[in-house]
Each structure stands twice: as C-alpha cells, then as structure tokens.
Amino acid sequence: MLYSEVVMDHFMNPRNVGTMDDADAVGEVGNAKCGDIMRIYLKINNDIIEDVKFETFGCGSAIASSSMATEMIKGKPLSDALNLTNKAVTEALDGLPAHKIHCSVLAEGAIKAAIKDYYDKNGIEYDKNMFKEVDHEHAH
Ligand code: FES
C-alpha cells in the first residue's frame, strides 16, 4: 500500500485544522515544487505552544504531515518545535512515499516561519541561521 494507516487517518481526520483570530504568530511557506501553500497559527504563552492551527492549499500528504506536526508541537516549548524535523514527522506517520517527502517539509517550514514571526514581533533576538530554510523557501 502506498500510504500508511497513520497517514490515511491524519488525511481523513486532520487534527488542528482551521484559523486562529488571536494567534500570537503566523507562518506561511510555499513549496517551490508543486506550488502548494501551508499556513500555521500559534498561540504562545511563556514560550509554550498552547494551541496550534493550520490551513493548507496542499495535497493529502501535506495535510497528513501538518496534522501530525501540529500534534507533535502542541503543549511543547518553542525550542522543541524549532527542533522538529520533517524526518521526525515522516517517521511518526510510518513513512511517506519517496516522491511525497517534500510535502512534509512544508509543515516543518511553516512552523519555523511562525516561530520567526513570533521572535520578530516580540523583539526576541535569535541566530538568523536557524531560519535559513524559511528564508530560502520564500526566495523561491
Ligand atoms: Fe504539494 Fe504535496 S504535492 S505539498
């Protein structure tokens, strides 16, 4: 079978879908390969991600990846979310087909972009190298 049961579950019943009116940070990235877009909203309190929502104009794998990624960062400190890799998300999904791996990068990128937005809005200093990929994706 092409997709794991976990992928199918998160695709059919995605967690944390929607927008957030009182978000503390929003991150959006586009995928250069397919043109799909991912937007992540974060509610942050004391460096903890209290709530997270996502919207995507993306494929099923992007939906499943974002659903899983939001579950993995909810209730966690920002530092944990910054360390979340698309590899960890893919593993949690029991794998994605090779040609769909780039879809999971979208979720990772949008989370990083949202955290960058939070740092920028609140005047928190950070190492710009942390967000190299985010800027890179915007550049395309
Ligand atoms: Fe575009 Fe999957 S094909 S995100």
Side-chain angles (χ1 to χ4, degrees):
M1 189 165 122
L2 196 53
Y3 293 105
S4 74
E5 268 174 47
V6 187
V7 173
M8 288 310 292
D9 177 37
H10 278 265
F11 169 59
M12 304 291 269
N13 308 292
R15 323 312 192 249
N16 310 309
V17 173
T19 60
M20 200 187 281
D21 288 340
D22 58 345
D24 294 306
V26 182
E28 183 180 303
V29 290
N31 188 308
K33 279 193 184 176
C34 59
D36 290 345
I37 294 171
M38 175 75 55
R39 195 178 296 145
I40 299 257
Y41 301 85
L42 298 179
K43 186 89 203 133
I44 299 163
N45 197 357
N46 274 330
D47 262 17
I48 303 288
I49 297 173
E50 290 193 327
D51 199 12
V52 47
K53 290 269 187 287
F54 80 91
E55 284 181 301
T56 185
F57 302 94
C59 70
S61 298
I63 294 169
S65 302
S66 307
S67 169
M68 180 59 86
T70 53
E71 285 288 277
M72 289 169 85
I73 63 167
K74 206 189 218 172
K76 298 278 166 55
L78 289 176
S79 53
D80 280 17
L82 273 174
N83 287 329
L84 182 75
T85 61
N86 79 298
K87 188 165 180 286
V89 174
T90 308
E91 277 168 14
L93 288 171
D94 277 345
L96 281 170
H99 70 286
K100 285 285 171 185
I101 295 291
H102 73 271
C103 313
S104 64
V105 177
L106 211 52
E108 180 195 328
I111 290 169
K112 290 218 168 86
I115 295 173
K116 182 173 185 289
D117 179 48
Y118 180 73
Y119 286 165
D120 286 341
K121 274 183 185 152
N122 291 280
I124 297 166
E125 296 204 8
Y126 54 84
D127 176 1
K128 290 215 165 53
N129 286 324
M130 285 192 323
F131 299 108
K132 261 202 315 244
E133 299 101 327
V134 176
D135 291 333
H136 183 71
E137 284 184 41
H138 271 300
H140 283 273

